[in-house]
Amino acid sequence: MPAVCPCEDISPGTLLASLATLSADVADGCDVDRLPALRGGVGVAVRVAGLLREFLEEVRWAAAAELPGGSVLGMSELHVALQKMRFLLEDCGRKGARMWVLMNAEAVASELRVVLGSVATAMDVLPAGVVAASDDAREFAALVSQQAWRAAVRPDEEDSRAARSVRSMLARFRSGATPDAEDARLVLGRVGVASWWDCSQEVSFLEAEMLERLEAGGENDNDLVLISGLMAFLLYCRVVLFDRIDYGKADEPAPAPAPRAASYLARINPEGLQCPITLELMTDPVTLATGQTYDRASIKRWVKSGCRTCPVTGEKLRSADVVPNVAVRGIVEQLLLSSGVSLHEPSSKHRCAVDKTASPFGAAAAGGARLAVAFLVSKLCRGTPEEQKKATYECRKLSKRNVFHRACLVDAGVVPWLLHLLSSPDASVQDNAVAGLLNLSKHPAGRRALVEAGGLGLIVDAVSVAAKVEAQQNAAAILFYLSSDAGYCDEISRIPEAIPTLVRLVREGAYRGRKNALVSLYGVLQRGAGGHGRAVSAGAVAALASLLPGDRDDLANDAVALLARLAEQPAGAAAVLSSSALVTRLVDFLGASASRSAKDHCAALLASLCRHGGDAVVALLGKTPGLMPSLYALIADGGAQGSKKARWLVNEIHRHYEQRQPPVAAPPAGDRVIRV
């Protein structure tokens, strides 16, 4: 709860106005009936906030201009307590966290009791000049204090019953038994999960929570067992209980900001919401121990680079821990919504943590995942077209960011059915099947199952004929993951259409398709035998040359790396040398590229051209302007391999020109030679 204490120099009137606004936000901003748990306790807190609003309005009307300076301290304590109450109530109603709040209702009730105690304490220590501003103010102050002290905040009986039911179903998962569907529906109804989309949001929240803890090194966190168990329960419910995917909710326009919020936004300086490091809008703001706020990705890069000071204050960081700044994120979200832009949840900062999900973190999570997967397999092999369509999408989502789920799907025999559905006339089914296979190809067992099921040819065909461009791009990415195994590379190379298909995608595809095709080709040529000639025959050199130079540095770097791989063979070197313009572009690239690895690849490429082309190529390079300075710079600053290749090239060029020098005539015998 990142509450901020008002500054010491604030005027009593300004602080009083802020308190009135804050209490109104708490009293009006929480829909108690839609909370997943603690409706009774939260209702008490909202009533206390409402009474506090009346008290503050009475004080503002009666004595705002006569408030003593000593009242700032007491009102500041009240301001901090109200901030904490607002943040806690926002967490209780947070989108996607309903099941988590239900299962932690006791802890939330304890936090709420502490916050209400803080409010009561702050009221009791307010100066008499504030409390006794009027008779009505005195009465409201007494009511606020009494109700805050006497509030009995505890989980409702229905909350406890629903939590016990969830634990019972998790116990059934541990034993491999299917839970009662009606019991599951009652629990979902209690927390307000009424659709596939609601269930999916719950899963996404728990997954992000789990990955966040894993990324922070919390593999032994006791909460992971509960989090993963709840994820399995909600996944099972999403797969089994909801037979229709309500995609529409994801595309619904976000509600416009309330009038009060709109008035706040009009006074906000957007520059104050920029990350001090990148000067870009903070979409995932976090606060350091120094009190400064940054975008999460930026400050993590800063700390990872070895910096141990606050970028703004220069203060030494005692800890690199960060706290989400909910207040700033809320302002950014409202600011974007006012412009018609939705703020998506932070993503992908969890790629490193995905590797740690090979363990299910508990028997309940393992049992629930296996039951959900078994249900999906039954729908893939015996379901109606609509059921198959939903099942392929569920396989895609289930395998996206969880290694254990991928293993479950492979073990259950999903791969052959997804390969079968590549021929579906439904473009969405095709797309989901390819995406699911892509996720499974990241798992060694998934790659093995795909090859053993005879799926290589089907994947190559999908690169060319899949109905959606995204499916073609994903199919090319599958070939990249398969190319990590030399045996699979040989099999890919033996498919006549494989390499020409990837070359065509490099030449004609969009950015992502080109990227996937480049890395797939590199993998196949690096580990497979006999693919170089087919790539050259398919026009790979011309396709790669078209990316030099380009507006995407990463594509140009990949193109140079692939050209270096092709030039290792005589046919590839000859194809590159057939275009003198390409050789000139490569020399220019060596001098202009900012990537050390790209420079290393370029030097290796030029060295291969010299080895296969002989003195004629060495002479050509020696005459090319700008090459020698670039080579000397690479010798000084390049990587080990790049420096070695650059040194070899310099020596070869010098050797070539020394051999062309005419021999020096010997002096006549009678001449005296004076040695210096």
Side-chain angles (χ1 to χ4, degrees):
M1 294 182 289
V4 179
C5 187
C7 63
E8 297 178 358
D9 297 332
I10 191 171
S11 67
T14 301
L15 182 55
L16 184 62
S18 179
L19 272 171
T21 301
L22 186 56
S23 61
D25 288 345
V26 175
D28 299 335
C30 182
D31 188 347
V32 176
D33 294 333
R34 300 188 65 180
L35 292 177
L38 289 171
R39 295 171 187 171
V42 172
V44 172
V46 169
R47 285 198 300 275
V48 169
L51 289 171
L52 188 56
R53 174 180 57 185
E54 298 299 327
F55 162 72
L56 294 168
E57 290 294 342
E58 182 65 26
V59 172
R60 288 181 70 187
W61 180 80
E66 305 172 8
L67 287 175
S71 63
V72 168
L73 180 60
M75 289 194 297
S76 294
E77 293 295 326
L78 185 59
H79 198 282
V80 170
L82 274 177
Q83 288 181 68
K84 292 183 176 181
M85 182 185 292
R86 182 180 67 181
F87 292 142
L88 187 57
L89 298 188
E90 287 177 352
D91 281 347
C92 288
R94 183 173 174 178
K95 180 172 59 177
R98 294 176 173 275
M99 190 63 68
W100 185 239
V101 170
L102 173 69
M103 301 306 292
N104 288 277
E106 284 286 357
V108 178
S110 176
E111 292 284 353
L112 192 53
R113 286 194 295 271
V114 171
V115 170
L116 285 170
S118 300
V119 171
T121 302
M123 290 296 298
D124 291 345
V125 300
L126 282 178
V130 178
V131 175
S134 69
D135 291 340
D136 287 345
R138 187 181 299 106
E139 291 180 7
F140 279 126
L143 279 173
V144 171
S145 179
Q146 291 171 8
Q147 293 211 14
W149 279 124
R150 297 175 182 175
V153 180
R154 62 178 63 90
D156 303 337
E157 180 58 35
E158 291 84 354
D159 300 340
S160 301
R161 189 180 301 115
R164 287 195 299 271
S165 182
V166 171
R167 293 189 181 94
S168 174
M169 285 183 278
L170 293 182
R172 292 183 65 82
F173 280 159
R174 282 192 288 271
S175 63
T178 303
D180 184 76
E182 192 57 35
D183 289 346
R185 286 192 175 92
L186 287 174
V187 170
L188 296 180
R190 171 62 187 171
V191 298
V193 175
S195 67
W196 182 94
W197 177 251
D198 294 337
C199 207
S200 189
Q201 283 187 311
E202 295 288 312
V203 173
S204 297
F205 169 81
L206 290 170
E207 183 179 53
E209 188 73 18
M210 180 179 71
L211 294 176
E212 191 76 41
R213 296 177 188 226
L214 289 175
E215 192 173 37
E219 290 89 343
N220 298 319
D221 192 331
N222 292 330
D223 283 341
L224 284 179
V225 175
L226 177 59
I227 292 173
S228 57
L230 293 178
M231 269 184 63
F233 168 68
L234 289 160
L235 281 171
Y236 177 84
C237 292
R238 190 183 75 188
V239 167
V240 176
L241 300 185
F242 298 106
D243 55 3
R244 186 179 66 86
I245 299 176
D246 46 334
Y247 297 99
K249 283 197 174 184
D251 301 323
E252 287 180 0
R260 185 195 300 272
S263 66
Y264 293 158
L265 295 176
R267 298 194 295 271
I268 288 176
N269 179 11
E271 292 184 2
L273 302 175
Q274 293 175 347
C275 176
I277 298 175
T278 63
L279 300 181
E280 295 179 353
L281 191 67
M282 294 184 288
T283 56
D284 188 14
V286 294
T287 301
L288 283 176
T290 60
Q292 299 296 323
T293 298
Y294 304 91
D295 194 71
R296 183 189 297 271
S298 302
I299 194 61
K300 286 184 72 173
R301 283 196 301 269
W302 173 271
V303 173
K304 190 175 181 180
S305 67
C307 299
R308 291 295 183 268
T309 57
C310 176
V312 171
T313 66
E315 182 181 348
K316 186 175 181 179
L317 296 177
R318 298 185 299 274
S319 169
D321 294 339
V322 295
V323 177
N325 193 323
V326 181
V328 172
R329 178 172 168 81
I331 295 172
V332 171
E333 189 169 18
Q334 291 294 334
L335 188 67
L336 292 177
L337 289 177
S338 67
S339 303
V341 180
S342 61
L343 178 60
H344 298 287
E345 289 296 318
S347 63
S348 291
K349 58 179 186 254
H350 298 308
R351 289 182 180 176
C352 296
V354 170
D355 294 336
K356 301 179 181 179
T357 59
S359 166
F361 300 106
R370 291 190 180 105
L371 287 171
V373 167
F375 183 85
L376 288 175
V377 173
S378 69
K379 295 302 178 184
L380 286 173
C381 61
R382 294 187 297 273
T384 64
E386 280 302 313
E387 289 173 336
Q388 287 182 331
K389 182 175 182 178
K390 179 178 182 292
T392 54
Y393 186 68
E394 292 285 9
C395 289
R396 175 181 187 168
K397 286 186 70 69
L398 197 61
S399 59
K400 186 173 183 181
R401 296 203 296 181
N402 193 291
V403 178
F404 179 73
H405 292 166
R406 293 170 188 166
C408 288
L409 288 163
V410 173
D411 292 343
V414 162
V415 170
W417 290 107
L418 293 180
L419 288 170
H420 170 70
L421 290 171
L422 292 180
S423 60
S424 171
D426 189 323
S428 296
V429 172
Q430 259 189 34
D431 185 31
N432 291 328
V434 172
L437 289 168
L438 171 59
N439 294 334
L440 296 179
S441 70
K442 299 173 185 178
H443 194 286
R447 295 193 289 272
R448 184 169 57 252
L450 194 153
V451 174
E452 290 176 353
L456 279 179
L458 296 173
I459 298 300
V460 171
D461 290 342
V463 177
S464 296
V465 301
K468 291 187 176 182
V469 172
E470 182 183 3
Q472 297 176 12
Q473 296 168 348
N474 286 337
I478 294 174
L479 295 179
F480 164 69
Y481 285 104
L482 291 172
S483 68
S484 62
D485 185 285
Y488 301 156
C489 285
D490 289 339
E491 293 197 37
I492 294 172
S493 298
R494 284 195 289 268
I495 299 175
E497 301 85 6
I499 290 177
T501 297
L502 291 173
V503 171
R504 184 164 59 252
L505 189 58
V506 170
R507 185 168 51 246
E508 302 172 0
Y511 165 71
R512 188 174 162 223
R514 287 180 168 182
K515 182 75 174 177
N516 291 347
L518 285 168
V519 295
S520 298
L521 271 173
Y522 188 87
V524 171
L525 297 181
Q526 183 181 31
R527 298 179 182 86
H532 291 73
R534 288 184 178 174
V536 172
S537 300
V541 171
L544 297 171
S546 66
L547 301 177
L548 295 172
D551 54 354
R552 302 296 301 237
D553 290 341
D554 55 339
L555 292 183
N557 296 344
D558 290 343
V560 169
L562 192 48
L563 283 170
R565 182 64 58 188
L566 288 172
E568 292 174 354
Q569 302 296 325
V576 174
L577 290 170
S578 65
S579 171
S580 58
L582 175 56
V583 175
T584 302
R585 272 187 276 172
L586 289 171
V587 172
D588 293 340
F589 178 87
L590 180 63
S593 176
S595 168
R596 175 180 289 186
S597 63
K599 288 177 179 286
D600 291 351
H601 285 301
C602 193
L605 169 56
L606 295 176
S608 294
L609 296 180
C610 289
R611 276 196 297 270
H612 293 296
D615 287 346
V617 177
V618 175
L620 174 64
L621 292 179
K623 297 175 183 177
T624 305
L627 175 62
M628 297 305 286
S630 299
L631 290 177
Y632 283 122
L634 189 57
I635 291 172
D637 301 326
Q641 288 299 316
S643 297
K644 182 178 178 181
K645 298 293 184 182
R647 193 175 295 110
W648 183 87
L649 282 167
V650 169
N651 290 336
E652 284 296 301
I653 292 172
H654 283 311
R655 178 192 59 78
H656 174 76
Y657 281 100
E658 286 173 358
Q659 289 178 349
R660 293 187 59 191
Q661 292 291 334
V664 179
D671 291 351
R672 297 178 60 187
V673 178
I674 301 175
R675 299 183 181 276
V676 178

